[in-house]
Every structure is written in structure tokens, then in C-alpha cells.
Amino acid sequence: MPDKKGRHGGRPRFKKSGKLRSFCFSRVNHPKAAIKFDGKQIIISRFGAIPVIVHRPIPDGFAIKTATITKKTDGYYVSFSLEDKSVPSLIYTDNIKTYVAIDVGLKEFLTTNTGETVSVPKFYRKSQSNLARKQKKVSRKEIGSNNWRAAQNRIARLHQHIARQREDFHYKTAHKLVKEYDMIAVENLNIRGLAKNTKLSKSIYDVGWGNFIEKLNAVAVKRGVHISRGEWPFAPTPSQYITKL
């Protein structure tokens, strides 16, 4: 069947067992659920009790809804989706005292309307030479051999390390902004369009603007901070307006 734009996806492509990375359980701790969590281990009906390292305790008042088990380079992870019926209220517009507009870029990760900047960490760029060496070693291995799989795993671990570095940087930057300001205006970017520039695409994907804005929104919601996309109502002059691209 065609999609809304009339495009056809072709024939279905069935994934091999080795390509599967995650599977989800729709109910947790339900009498008829296939998975249960007691705070120290998960109990799956077909696998039994599996001890887990709990990254953070389940907050009081939160209900576990679903569980997703994901296979990653360094092992298996289980992620729970939680339900919290208490919704944080946004700061009233009249009570907004501090506000800032940020503009993301490649020379500086972000620049505020007050002139403050956050430098680009360039996690991927700094690891390129190491990544190239590992990829060269893979090319020398026999495809499908144990040595080839081990070399592939080293590359995957490096990519995972880069992704985690970027994620940590994004969260720390988002928390810093949300702690300091009651309202944050963000430029509305067409990231896919900008990434079509082959000379800049690698740098654009390295900084991860889209992932940062998603994390900024998530952190702001928890603290009741306003996020404004594509507009700047507090600009004293028209030249400081953030416009849509």
C-alpha cells in the first residue's frame, strides 16, 4: 500500500535473527505479564530471573508501563517506560524573569543573544584517526571469521563511546541553560536540508543539533521552563528576531 505521499516501499524485507536489536513487552508487573521487575532483577517467563544493574531507582509514584530489551555492543539493556500522572506546570508568563535566545552553529556549538558561547566538542572528528585504524584492521580480516567479528565489535564500541560522549555533553548543556533561564528561544532549523551540503554534513551530524534540541525540550518540561521555537518575543530590535529558515 502506498503511503500518504503516494510512495511505495517495495516488498517487505524480513530481518535475520542476527539483525534484531530489541523487543518490547507491553505490560510489566501485571499478573498475566511475561516480564516482571522487583527492583533487583527482571523475571521473564521463558528465561527465568536475570540479575540487572539498576542505573537509577524507580521514583515513588511512577508506574512501569512497558519494557524494552535492547542488544548493544557492550551487552543487553532493559528500558522501562514510566507513567507519572502529576504534570509539572509551566512558569506563568508574567513570572518569567530570565530569558535567552540561542543560535546553534558549527564554529560554536551555540551562541546566546548576550554573546555567551559554548564551543564545539568535535567528538567524532577527534576519533576519526582511531576509527580509520580500526577499519583498516577489519579490511585485513577474513569476513565472517571470529577475528573479523572481534574487530567489528571494536569499531562498534568506539561509535558507542562517541555517541555517549555527545549525549552527555547535550544533557549537561541543556541542564545548564534550564537552570539559568525561565524561557529559552531556539532557532527553527531545517537540519536535513542543511545536511545535504556534502562539505558540512559530517560536521552537522557530529554536533547533533536535533538531538540536543530534543533533550533541551525534555529537560525544560521537567522544570516548567518555556521553550520557544522560531520566535523571539522579547527582542528589543527586529534584527534580534529568530526567524524560520
Side-chain angles (χ1 to χ4, degrees):
M1 293 290 292
D3 59 12
K4 293 181 180 179
K5 295 184 179 180
R7 295 177 298 190
H8 292 267
R11 296 180 179 179
R13 299 170 184 174
F14 297 98
K15 292 184 179 180
K16 298 179 182 179
S17 60
K19 296 293 183 182
L20 293 176
R21 291 288 178 267
S22 65
F23 52 97
C24 183
F25 296 91
S26 58
R27 294 184 296 184
V28 182
N29 290 343
H30 188 272
K32 296 183 179 180
I35 184 172
K36 297 180 180 179
F37 177 65
D38 62 2
K40 296 182 179 179
Q41 59 186 4
I42 58 172
I43 304 168
I44 305 176
S45 57
R46 294 192 178 184
F47 299 98
I50 304 173
V52 295
I53 299 174
V54 181
H55 176 63
R56 65 181 67 177
I58 305 297
D60 294 334
F62 283 67
I64 303 176
K65 304 300 291 183
T66 66
T68 303
I69 296 179
T70 308
K71 180 184 178 183
K72 296 189 177 182
T73 308
D74 57 349
Y76 287 87
Y77 290 79
V78 57
S79 303
F80 296 113
S81 63
L82 308 177
E83 180 184 28
D84 179 21
K85 295 183 179 179
S86 62
V87 179
S89 57
L90 290 173
I91 300 173
Y92 288 107
T93 307
D94 296 337
N95 295 336
I96 294 176
K97 298 179 181 179
T98 56
Y99 37 81
V100 69
I102 62 174
D103 182 20
V104 294
L106 296 178
K107 291 184 178 180
E108 300 291 346
F109 179 71
L110 66 84
T111 304
T112 68
N113 63 314
T114 58
E116 298 178 8
T117 60
V118 176
S119 59
V120 178
K122 298 181 180 179
F123 296 119
Y124 179 78
R125 292 287 189 182
K126 292 177 181 178
S127 301
Q128 268 190 301
S129 58
N130 188 12
L131 183 62
R133 285 195 299 270
K134 293 182 183 299
Q135 289 172 333
K136 197 171 183 179
K137 289 180 180 180
V138 170
S139 64
R140 297 170 182 165
K141 311 293 182 184
E142 182 182 352
I143 296 177
S145 65
N146 290 335
N147 288 336
W148 177 82
R149 290 191 180 91
Q152 288 278 31
N153 184 263
R154 294 188 193 101
I155 293 175
R157 281 177 177 269
L158 179 56
H159 278 295
Q160 185 184 57
H161 177 66
I162 294 169
R164 286 175 174 175
Q165 282 182 307
R166 188 183 297 116
E167 183 180 39
D168 181 66
F169 167 74
H170 286 167
Y171 271 117
K172 286 180 178 178
T173 306
H175 278 286
K176 183 177 183 298
L177 288 170
V178 170
K179 286 180 181 178
E180 294 179 0
Y181 302 102
D182 299 330
M183 179 174 180
I184 303 170
V186 185
E187 185 176 5
N188 200 0
L189 291 172
N190 179 11
I191 299 174
R192 287 187 178 181
L194 294 172
K196 290 181 180 179
N197 185 334
T198 55
K199 294 182 179 179
L200 300 176
S201 59
K202 188 178 290 186
S203 297
I204 290 173
Y205 287 125
D206 190 14
V207 293
W209 295 329
N211 290 333
F212 168 70
I213 293 173
E214 287 181 3
K215 293 176 178 62
L216 180 62
N217 280 323
V219 173
V221 166
K222 291 181 180 180
R223 293 179 174 266
V225 174
H226 292 264
I227 296 291
S228 176
R229 296 292 300 274
E231 59 185 17
W232 180 233
F234 300 101
T237 61
S239 62
Q240 294 183 7
Y241 273 74
I242 296 180
T243 57
K244 295 183 179 180
L245 295 179

